Amino acid sequence: MSFEIFLVCAPGLEPVLADECRSVGFAKLRVLPGGVAFDGEWLDVWRANLELRGATRVLARIGSFRAFHLAQLDKRARKFDWGTVLRPDVPVRVEASSKRSKIYHAGAAAQRVERAISEELGAPIAKDAPVQVKVRIDDNLVTLSVDTSGESLHKRGHKRFTGKAPMRETMASLILRACGHDGTEPVLDPMCGSGTFVIEAAEMALGMQSGRERMFSFERFSNFNTEAYEGLKREAPGETELRFFGSDRDDGAIRGASENAKRAGVDGCVLFSRNAVSDVQRPDGPPGLVIVNPPYGGRIGDRKLLFSLHGAFGEVMRSRFRGWRVGMVTNDGGLAKATKLPFKPASAPIAHGGLKVRLFQTDPL
Ligand SMILES: C[S@@+](CC[C@H](N)C(=O)[O-])C[C@H]1O[C@@H](n2cnc3c(N)ncnc32)[C@H](O)[C@@H]1O
């Protein structure tokens, strides 16, 4: 039986995630604020967690009913067949939200559902439980979902070094896709920090599944079928002619990025070097994509210095990178302008660590 699967992503990137969903065969998508929904089955849930690079988590809508007061919520939550998804031996936590509804106290609603789960199914309730049930009450309609991912999906399971202001892998992959990158061209990041863009691009080229190294919450559900899940995993081809380049002026970043690449198993096709942006050279071979997420004012560095850094970056691109496209993620349109690069109109704002950033892109220079 199919149910709604909701893929959460960074607000602003929903259409890009929808595009990725189509590319892996998910259909009849609904692009909604904060994510993408489609109807599917548990196998789709497992595959979405394992394959999608852009989703931050995957929620499964397991039930819904109307409730106009707490006693009704209590009764209907007790009648719900929790055992189809949850296990009596795996601790659960419940989070609730409510809007435009007679039940307005989210804490009391969560407590009723917790009690129903612990008394009817026998599963312990714990604050740090590995399985989370989400209760959303909107216009007196109660929707029950389970978080099938657990830790946010940007945690691929192989990154130890994170650097100063890392970009999340999920967002980096969607930015690469928004730049038209599909794993078939070289990518260069001249301010690579922990190497997120470079490693994501290399994994895409090698056809690796993003979740291959990690565990998911759904592995602790009652309906989990190890054999069927293992059948979804595939060996990556493991070879590409393409090369992915990262540089940074910071020694520690280059050491950390190289270790991250090694743990991810992409060290055969990535090259990291310590270089200031003004020393970056065009790699031999076909043109591709330069992608960069320079320091932001207020976070690292000061705005005046940032103007000259962006000017130098633009000059290097214009003089040495003919034929390459440039994508730049920044929260400051003035700094993008300082590059003097022929950017097309910027993307819609994208939520990034409490900031709103935009993607600026050029055609081939
Ligand atoms: C916002 S961070 C990039 C984070 C990166 N995208 C990641 O996911 O880890 C900006 C990076 O620019 C580097 N940087 C600043 N000025 C530079 C310069 N002149 N040349 C090269 N790198 C520079 C910093 O060392 C820092 O690692």
Side-chain angles (χ1 to χ4, degrees):
M1 209 182 60
S2 78
F3 50 87
E4 185 177 83
I5 298 170
F6 186 76
L7 311 164
V8 181
C9 72
L13 288 169
E14 298 91 338
V16 192
L17 176 60
D19 186 53
E20 185 189 9
C21 288
R22 275 180 223 108
S23 78
V24 301
F26 294 133
K28 298 201 179 150
L29 307 170
R30 300 182 285 283
V31 180
L32 301 167
V36 175
F38 67 99
D39 293 331
E41 300 183 3
W42 286 100
L43 216 59
D44 299 311
V45 167
W46 304 340
R47 195 160 75 83
N49 275 291
L50 180 64
E51 300 235 51
L52 289 176
R53 295 191 162 272
T56 43
R57 70 184 56 253
V58 179
L59 305 179
R61 309 274 199 228
I62 53 173
S64 65
F65 49 76
R66 296 234 162 245
F68 295 90
H69 49 80
L70 286 170
Q72 204 168 34
L73 172 66
D74 185 79
K75 194 169 161 202
R76 297 196 166 156
R78 282 177 186 277
K79 263 177 85 181
F80 187 77
D81 190 359
W82 294 104
T84 57
V85 179
L86 306 181
R87 273 175 25 194
D89 60 325
V90 177
V92 179
R93 66 201 150 104
V94 178
E95 182 206 65
S97 66
S98 171
K99 63 180 179 196
R100 297 179 300 178
S101 300
K102 295 213 162 133
I103 299 174
Y104 56 85
H105 193 321
Q111 189 257 345
R112 295 306 188 283
V113 176
E114 282 175 357
R115 214 166 55 191
I117 294 172
S118 72
E119 290 180 8
E120 301 301 321
L121 179 74
I125 303 297
K127 273 204 178 78
D128 58 351
V131 169
Q132 188 183 37
V133 170
K134 288 176 183 280
V135 180
R136 203 187 66 201
I137 312 176
D138 190 354
D139 202 11
N140 303 305
L141 180 69
V142 179
T143 308
L144 304 174
S145 305
V146 270
D147 172 6
T148 71
S149 305
E151 267 202 307
S152 166
L153 295 177
H154 79 274
K155 300 209 167 166
R156 308 287 199 220
H158 47 246
K159 189 180 204 176
R160 289 214 196 116
F161 173 81
T162 52
K164 284 180 207 145
M167 175 157 288
R168 294 186 160 197
E169 284 71 1
T170 41
M171 180 162 163
S173 74
L174 291 179
I175 297 282
L176 286 166
R177 181 171 282 274
C179 289
H181 178 71
D182 60 0
T184 60
E185 63 185 350
V187 170
L188 180 144
D189 180 350
M191 301 187 215
C192 69
S194 56
T196 318
F197 280 123
V198 180
I199 296 170
E200 280 298 308
E203 288 195 12
M204 284 159 85
L206 291 167
M208 290 172 154
Q209 291 171 311
S210 56
R212 64 194 181 282
E213 301 272 352
R214 57 164 281 165
M215 301 281 293
F216 302 99
S217 270
F218 65 72
E219 294 175 56
R220 312 190 71 178
F221 291 178
S222 61
N223 57 13
F224 181 59
N225 179 332
T226 312
E227 216 173 81
Y229 174 57
E230 289 303 320
L232 294 174
K233 291 191 173 173
R234 56 162 198 269
E235 285 293 312
E239 296 253 332
T240 175
E241 298 283 292
L242 294 169
R243 291 293 171 265
F244 301 89
F245 306 90
S247 52
D248 200 288
R249 67 168 178 197
D250 186 276
D251 246 339
I254 293 308
R255 266 198 311 277
S258 306
E259 282 160 21
N260 288 340
K262 192 156 196 201
R263 272 192 297 270
V266 297
D267 46 327
C269 63
V270 302
L271 293 154
F272 287 109
S273 55
R274 198 185 81 78
N275 265 326
V277 78
S278 44
D279 296 329
V280 170
Q281 299 301 324
R282 176 201 178 103
D284 291 337
L289 174 70
V290 173
I291 184 78
V292 68
N293 164 218
Y296 306 135
R299 251 182 125 179
I300 349 172
D302 132 296
R303 199 156 186 262
K304 259 192 203 156
L305 289 174
L306 288 178
F307 268 98
S308 62
L309 172 65
H310 284 69
F313 168 70
E315 167 58 27
V316 168
M317 292 297 108
R318 288 192 309 278
S319 60
R320 300 177 204 157
F321 280 78
R322 177 159 299 203
W324 287 63
R325 307 186 313 288
V326 179
M328 173 186 275
V329 179
T330 178
N331 67 341
D332 188 333
L335 290 175
K337 205 165 168 194
T339 62
K340 298 200 180 110
L341 288 169
F343 287 124
K344 300 185 275 190
S347 74
I350 303 164
H352 171 49
L355 295 172
K356 289 272 185 230
V357 295
R358 287 173 194 268
L359 171 63
F360 294 80
Q361 289 187 64
T362 70
D363 286 322
L365 296 175

